[in-house]
Amino acid sequence: QVQLVESGGGSVQAGGSLRLSCAASGDTFRIRCMAWFRQAPGKEREGVARIYRFGDYTSYADSVKGRFTISQDNAKNTVHLQMNTLKPEDAGVYYCAADANPGCFSRDLRASEYDYWGQGTQVTVSS
């Protein structure tokens, strides 16, 4: 099993920045991709960004390209999401997730594909 714990959420004004972190523990050798998803009230959980554990390949949702950056520190089993120029529509609960499938990066970024989840961290953006 893999355990994921997010940190770094909070409240910020539009245009501000936040940095989220996700620490993985347990059977981390199983992880192939790590990703961030978010969910706003009344909306489906959507993929924001992902990173392939071996090679630093990354991909982003169109809505966050150029503003968000996902990175990893494999030695510390940690993934970060740097969020800049935040907009009110970026608000929601952000979840860290891990996928053990070796083909994870070639698949669509869908919540149903991910095996392990953190508890989520709230991001609030005021206009």
Side-chain angles (χ1 to χ4, degrees):
Q1 291 296 317
V2 173
Q3 294 79 44
L4 303 173
V5 178
E6 303 100 335
S7 61
S11 296
V12 65
Q13 288 190 329
S17 298
L18 283 173
R19 179 178 171 88
L20 306 182
S21 297
C22 173
S25 60
D27 296 336
T28 57
F29 65 89
R30 299 179 182 275
I31 299 173
R32 295 297 180 266
C33 285
M34 292 193 72
W36 288 95
F37 290 79
R38 66 187 180 190
Q39 189 166 19
K43 294 188 176 181
E44 292 187 357
R45 193 168 297 189
E46 64 169 342
V48 174
R50 67 179 163 184
I51 188 164
Y52 186 64
R53 189 173 175 83
F54 307 104
D56 281 345
Y57 301 108
T58 60
S59 68
Y60 298 90
D62 287 342
S63 59
V64 306
K65 281 181 181 177
R67 300 188 297 121
F68 290 12
T69 302
I70 189 170
S71 62
Q72 63 185 349
D73 182 342
N74 283 342
K76 297 181 179 180
N77 291 314
T78 302
V79 171
H80 304 286
L81 184 69
Q82 177 66 42
M83 305 186 294
N84 297 328
T85 319
L86 282 160
K87 304 175 181 180
E89 53 263 42
D90 293 320
V93 179
Y94 280 69
Y95 297 92
C96 176
D99 188 347
N101 192 306
C104 57
F105 200 79
S106 61
R107 304 189 296 187
D108 291 341
L109 183 55
R110 286 195 297 259
S112 59
E113 304 285 5
Y114 278 72
D115 306 295
Y116 307 102
W117 291 86
Q119 80 286 354
T121 185
Q122 180 72 46
V123 171
T124 303
V125 184
S126 57
S127 57

